[in-house]
Amino acid sequence: MPDWVVAKYFDPEAERHRLAIHDYQQTEIRQMRCMDNTKLVDSLKLPLKSYNDLLIAFSHMLSNGLEDYLTHFAAPFPGDWPMQFFMRQLVYNTASVSLPMVCKNIVPMIGPLHVSLNSREWVLLNFHPIFADLYSFLFGAKAKLAKKPKPWRISLLLEVIYGGWTLVRDSIMSVFSNCKDIEFLTLINLIDNYVPLVLSIYSIVFKCSNYDLYCKSLFRCWIMLMVFCRKHYDKALLVALSTLKFWDDNTHPMHQIVQQFLAAFDEYPVENFHSVVLRARTNETDTAEQIREKAKKIDACKKELHEFQSSFVPPQEIQL
């Protein structure tokens, strides 16, 4: 891991935001400031867990202006594995579902936020006993780590174990550098390879638009997921790496765009807005139409929210 990446872990303000990356509600107002260039098209009640669900949503987007947009521009679609899988089926089989040929201008991409979120969870789940002992040590013997902890708690434990490791790494490696014990090597691989990888791939490497290091991090994540025998994301990352390699080898215009504006290919605004609307601003008894109206109102007044906040909260500069 490069030294400049390691140094980011000792910035208290940056660490606070890293811990809150996957806690959407806690960062609502701050992230609204970053959504000035986003626009809600519509809100539909769909699980998006099947091909037909995505086809309904996609057809609705086409009728709301996406088709006209695609006649002039390409449209990247970053998202999680189900969205990638079914979106690629739509793009590659437009004739079979009677979609316009301009849909070929859609570029499905695996979302870096979901890569980070899932890889952190998989690291903790595969080494759960270690993190359970750490959790009990930090919060008392009676504290038990859940089998599937919340994202913010996963991030906290990963930050703690890696922060402690950076303080003793040189001393330990100078003594045990030639150790061949399999348990020791497995532990070293966890805290010196997997943990910094999943902590930095999105919150530091991607947000800093370091394209070369991001590609290397994706490759390392893919190897890690192959070792963990993950069912879908091992294929998703391989497809992403293959696409990036193809663009590079063929001097495709997308290669230069992604390389220059990597941080723009992020699904976080969508995930954040979805969570803000569904969890913080709606009730369990709300109908789909009520949620839709609230979503449109929030989108329409996000500029006013930003102006209200700027009048009372001094701006903070975070260097990442």
Side-chain angles (χ1 to χ4, degrees):
M1 188 62 62
D3 293 339
W4 69 270
V5 175
V6 176
K8 297 296 183 182
Y9 290 98
F10 298 96
D11 183 347
E13 187 65 19
E15 181 176 6
R16 182 175 68 85
H17 290 299
R18 285 201 307 274
L19 291 174
I21 279 178
H22 303 300
D23 187 4
Y24 306 121
Q25 297 184 61
Q26 295 296 326
T27 58
E28 174 187 345
I29 299 299
R30 182 172 63 86
Q31 290 302 326
M32 279 294 182
R33 295 180 301 174
C34 303
M35 298 175 67
D36 294 338
N37 295 326
T38 62
K39 182 62 180 177
L40 176 68
V41 176
D42 206 344
S43 178
L44 299 177
K45 183 181 179 181
L46 287 172
L48 291 181
K49 296 298 183 181
S50 69
Y51 177 84
N52 291 331
D53 290 336
L54 188 61
L55 179 59
I56 294 173
F58 188 67
S59 300
H60 188 72
M61 287 191 294
L62 288 175
S63 63
N64 278 274
L66 180 61
E67 184 175 355
D68 294 336
Y69 179 88
L70 290 174
T71 58
H72 303 285
F73 307 100
F77 268 61
D80 59 0
W81 164 253
M83 200 283 287
Q84 293 297 294
F85 181 72
F86 298 125
M87 181 59 73
R88 290 182 186 278
Q89 289 184 334
L90 286 178
V91 173
Y92 300 152
N93 299 282
T94 53
S96 61
V97 291
S98 301
L99 290 176
M101 291 303 297
V102 292
C103 294
K104 296 290 185 180
N105 291 336
I106 290 177
V107 185
M109 304 176 68
I110 189 66
L113 174 65
H114 284 90
V115 173
S116 172
L117 178 62
N118 287 285
S119 61
R120 293 183 185 204
E121 180 179 337
W122 293 327
V123 166
L124 185 136
L125 294 180
N126 278 272
F127 296 92
H128 190 277
I130 295 176
F131 290 98
D133 289 342
L134 174 63
Y135 188 77
S136 298
F137 174 79
L138 292 174
F139 301 104
K142 294 183 178 180
K144 303 298 181 182
L145 182 64
K147 292 184 178 180
K148 193 173 182 180
K150 293 182 178 180
W152 70 265
R153 185 170 280 116
I154 294 176
S155 297
L156 175 63
L157 292 175
L158 293 174
E159 291 276 356
V160 169
I161 197 171
Y162 184 65
W165 170 243
T166 57
L167 299 177
V168 299
R169 182 185 186 279
D170 293 340
S171 300
I172 292 179
M173 295 305 295
S174 63
V175 177
F176 298 99
S177 58
N178 296 322
C179 180
K180 303 299 182 182
D181 182 77
I182 188 64
E183 293 184 358
F184 174 79
L185 294 178
T186 301
L187 180 61
I188 292 298
N189 186 44
L190 167 64
I191 58 180
D192 203 43
N193 183 17
Y194 290 163
V195 173
L197 172 63
V198 300
L199 283 175
S200 63
I201 186 172
Y202 177 75
S203 60
I204 295 178
V205 176
F206 178 80
K207 285 190 173 182
C208 290
S209 290
N210 193 319
Y211 177 79
D212 293 335
L213 186 56
Y214 179 69
C215 291
K216 294 178 182 178
S217 299
L218 275 183
F219 182 74
R220 292 171 59 197
C221 267
W222 172 65
I223 295 176
M224 180 184 72
L225 299 181
M226 291 292 291
V227 173
F228 291 164
C229 298
R230 299 307 306 178
K231 187 176 181 180
H232 296 307
Y233 270 80
D234 56 346
K235 304 178 185 66
L237 295 191
L238 184 60
V239 171
L241 290 168
S242 176
T243 302
L244 295 175
K245 180 63 175 175
F246 175 82
W247 289 343
D248 187 12
D249 292 343
N250 293 273
T251 319
H252 195 280
M254 280 297 296
H255 172 69
Q256 183 178 359
I257 295 174
V258 174
Q259 190 176 33
Q260 187 174 359
F261 304 103
L262 176 63
F265 295 85
D266 191 359
E267 79 276 31
Y268 187 83
V270 177
E271 296 294 328
N272 182 48
F273 188 83
H274 181 268
S275 297
V276 169
V277 172
L278 291 185
R279 298 179 185 177
R281 303 294 183 85
T282 59
N283 303 315
E284 294 182 358
T285 56
D286 287 346
T287 64
E289 184 61 28
Q290 289 175 323
I291 295 176
R292 180 186 181 191
E293 291 300 322
K294 289 183 179 180
K296 290 184 176 181
K297 290 179 181 178
I298 293 174
D299 179 70
C301 69
K302 63 175 180 283
K303 182 178 180 181
E304 286 75 10
L305 286 175
H306 170 46
E307 293 177 350
F308 176 82
Q309 183 209 14
S310 62
S311 301
F312 297 95
V313 181
Q316 295 182 356
E317 295 184 0
I318 303 173
Q319 296 180 355
L320 290 178

